[in-house]
Amino acid sequence: MTVQPRRVLLISATIGEGHNATGRAVAEAAGRVWPGCEVGWLDALRAMGRWVPGAFNWIYVTNVESTPWLYDFFYASLWRYRWFANASRRFVGAWSGRRMRRAIAEHDPDLIVSTYPLGTAGLDWLRRRGGLDIPVAAVVSDFSPHPFWVYPEVDLHLVMSEASLREMRRAEPDAVGAVCVPPVVSAFQPGDRAVARRGFGLPESGFTVLISCGSLGFGSVERAVQAALRAEGVARVVVVCGRNEALRQRFADRCEDRLVALGWVADMPRLVACADVVVTNAGGATALEALACGRAVVMFEPIAGHGRANAELMADAELAELCPRAADLTATLRRWAADPGELTQREQMALKHCQAADFADQVAALADLPRHHGRRPLRPQDAFFVHATTREVAQQTGAVLRLAGPPRAVHDWCEEITVRIERRAGQLPMFTRRLVLRRSRRPQWIHDRDIEPRDHLRCREVAGEQAVAEARNQFFSAPVRTDRQPWELLLLRESGSGQVWLLAKLHHALGDGVAVTSALLRLLTDDPRPASAPGQGGSPTWYRRAGAIARGLVSLAGAGTAPRSPWGGRSTANRSFDGVELPAAEVRAGARRCGVSTTVLLLGVVAEALHRALPDPVAGQRFRVMVPRTVRTGRGGVGTDVPGNHTASLALDLPVGPMPAAQRLAAVAAELGAPERTGQPAAAGAVLAALGVLPAPVHAWVVRRIYQRRFFNAVVSVLPGQRRPAHVGPATISGVLPVLSLADGVGVAVGAIGWGDRVGFGITTDTGLAPDAAVLAGHLRDAFTALRAGDRW
């Protein structure tokens, strides 16, 4: 539910009037959508120092009028040299951020909106240092967002067009943006020319050109006037000189009948309504106001740097005509004066762009921005799975959900899931994270709530169990895409039986099995409750924890390399997936009968299945499995719904040689409870955290050498689940099969989870190294059947 902000802070600057004009549009919209909201203003340049506004305005005007080559060089360098752009942004950000910090604290806002790039740089600096735990947005009124305009720590940039959005991502790949309509006050709207002209004492008829080059009135204003007056069919030229009184006086001295020279104009909306064409040179507020009024725009001799970039982007979007020379402007005005049809087409395109949405609604949506939307490095435990990824082995985790309920067509199912994604995914951090991967840099997250369901959900109807298996294998074999939020869903409906499965896969860096299960429940179910996690006591004292880490390190070092396995070697891209479901009540009863925990029983069933599947197992043979164990707690600590990998691992040597069932279970229980192993999870967690201080290339090198076949033969995980039914509309999630990722050179991964009245095993194999998953699934089923019957294994 949207909560109305009590106070909104606008950060702008008086350098010309364009940034303030955008700020006034935001303030007006805020007043409409949040009645009673207090809107405060902060001038970023004034905050940076008393002398700064005057100095920066002088530098800006001098560069544009006297040394445009210097401004062009600076602007081009921002794009050409990333180090230069980053250094410049950090310098300005530290300057403005430090100086704005106190003023922001005094305003105590619930939302900050910046309309000035140097102010945005300061907000980015504050965010990087842990401040501003409130939504922060920027309105980029330039059509071409340059590297000084956009920042990764800003929750949302509102830009002027789809082309602007692409330019924004080129300037800062980690920035989050959305297209908005021109941010102008509501007075700028289509109006009757004749009525507007009467208000200014102008003749009601005749082709009228309005030339406005901002409040400073600089650039090629005089050449624009001369070129316009040379165009046949132009009845009059109205030129706004703003605060440039010397320019206005020069025009007044010409005594030209068709020329009307104005100084500062308070009623610009009505003046724009007078015009047939608006000529400007920067692509800023004047161009946006003209578009909002449905007037054709001409960009004439754009000013250096950002002005030229804005003009080119507007021309590409067919929202303005670019006239780089005086002759071009004369020809364009002559053509439009003679052909009202072409002019009308231009006006219609402007109105179509501006009426695509309501700016007030877009401002209202800023209240729903998350508390923080910026870029953050991955935790070492999560970056581990980015570095462990190879070309053949994708590090992704997932699940197969079996849905039971009334018969429904596949498109009805697809619509049901799509609606849930649209309503919920943007509020769940697991689904809004997007990976930023750069060579030799630490992987990072950015939060991107712009989720397109079609990018993440596919729905298929297939005929027969074989087709279901093939679709499942194809889905889990393909690496999850990382050019968007790295998660995908596939809904399968078998046409004959009507059985429905929902397959989910997520990049392992997003979270462990508990987090994945909890996130899927919150996304899909009607009464989401996170998957349970075993409760744990309070945190141990530092010296007890240090002792456990020391014991664990000794244990891990003493374990050495893994026993030789016939299922190890060079990984291939060939994958198979299968599953087995066992009655949960019988699993629990069997564990009680054998005097062991449910986890020991399930690991014992896996050990027996491995014994049956391995070629020629011998007495005393061991098979080392890496067993991730959750360190989440049911009370306090890390909750089950927190994204990320919160697990620590045990290295267990499962007995896979011939032996009776009771002996195998006793051996597994002893292995799991060995005192020297009790410190392994703490030691593994400490090692993973310590790896995070290494440079990214070194971190990746170490990960690839420890997470591979040399140290374990398989991955086996027993996940906490839930007994309570979970509903997706009229259907029930009647079963879950976890899908685990493999490691380099490791051919088998097995996951188990209790769900409702079933315990589901999900099996993944690399068929270039190990048997097909269906073979292991059969052995798991047979092993449990033998245990239930009391047979000797």
Side-chain angles (χ1 to χ4, degrees), residues 277 354 677 747 769 777:
V277 177
C354 297
R677 297 195 185 279
L769 301 176

Side-chain angles (χ1 to χ4, degrees), residues 321-346:
E321 181 81 4
L322 177 57
C323 294
R325 298 171 304 174
D328 299 324
L329 177 58
T330 300
T332 296
L333 295 177
R334 182 187 298 124
R335 188 176 71 251
W336 287 357
D339 184 4
E342 184 178 353
L343 191 64
T344 300
Q345 185 179 8
R346 286 279 180 171

Side-chain angles (χ1 to χ4, degrees), residues 308-517:
R308 188 172 295 114
N310 289 341
E312 291 172 353
L313 212 59
M314 290 185 70
D316 289 343
E318 298 184 318
L319 294 173
E321 181 81 4
L322 177 57
C323 294
R325 298 171 304 174
D328 299 324
L329 177 58
T330 300
T332 296
L333 295 177
R334 182 187 298 124
R335 188 176 71 251
W336 287 357
D339 184 4
E342 184 178 353
L343 191 64
T344 300
Q345 185 179 8
R346 286 279 180 171
E347 293 172 347
Q348 290 173 346
M349 292 180 67
L351 288 175
K352 180 180 179 182
H353 176 76
C354 297
Q355 295 175 352
D358 187 332
F359 182 63
D361 292 339
Q362 294 176 316
V363 169
L366 299 181
D368 293 324
L369 288 175
R371 300 296 289 179
H372 179 53
H373 209 65
R375 180 176 63 177
R376 283 289 182 267
L378 272 66
R379 299 168 56 248
Q381 297 87 336
D382 302 331
F384 183 96
F385 292 103
V386 174
H387 298 319
T389 298
T390 68
R391 186 173 60 180
E392 291 79 19
V393 184
Q395 292 300 318
Q396 55 196 34
T397 185
V400 178
L401 311 183
R402 180 162 51 82
L403 304 177
R408 302 179 76 184
V410 68
H411 69 268
D412 292 333
W413 271 113
C414 199
E415 183 177 352
E416 175 92 35
I417 303 300
T418 297
V419 169
R420 291 167 189 263
I421 291 173
E422 291 174 340
R423 291 178 178 175
R424 301 178 181 177
Q427 307 301 320
L428 300 173
M430 179 75 84
F431 298 110
T432 61
R433 293 185 173 190
R434 184 156 58 88
L435 268 173
V436 178
L437 303 176
R438 294 182 179 178
R439 188 179 181 87
S440 301
R441 296 277 299 275
R442 295 184 188 278
Q444 296 178 315
W445 291 123
I446 59 173
H447 288 274
D448 184 358
R449 294 180 68 193
D450 185 13
I451 297 172
E452 173 52 60
R454 291 175 298 180
D455 290 341
H456 299 277
L457 172 66
R458 290 182 293 125
C459 304
R460 292 177 57 187
E461 181 143 7
V462 294
E465 292 184 3
Q466 183 62 33
V468 171
E470 290 176 357
R472 183 181 59 204
N473 283 354
Q474 291 172 1
F475 178 74
F476 287 118
S477 296
V480 67
R481 296 183 60 169
T482 56
D483 59 343
R484 59 195 64 171
Q485 301 91 339
W487 56 274
E488 298 174 24
L489 304 175
L490 172 63
L491 187 130
L492 291 176
R493 182 182 183 275
E494 201 281 308
S495 56
S497 64
Q499 179 65 61
V500 177
W501 295 267
L502 184 64
L503 284 56
K505 63 182 178 185
L506 301 87
H507 198 292
H508 209 329
L510 283 172
D512 51 42
V514 174
V516 168
T517 304

Side-chain angles (χ1 to χ4, degrees), residues 646-715:
H646 297 274
T647 58
S649 296
L650 287 171
L652 299 183
D653 287 339
L654 294 183
V656 294
M659 63 179 63
Q663 183 180 345
R664 196 181 307 279
L665 290 176
V668 171
E671 185 76 9
L672 189 63
E676 66 270 15
R677 297 195 185 279
T678 57
Q680 281 191 10
V687 169
L688 289 182
L691 289 177
V693 305
L694 298 173
V698 180
H699 189 185
W701 184 88
V702 173
V703 167
R704 288 193 287 269
R705 276 150 186 79
I706 64 176
Y707 198 65
Q708 45 119 326
R709 68 180 183 273
R710 185 181 178 194
F711 296 103
F712 54 94
N713 308 125
V715 179

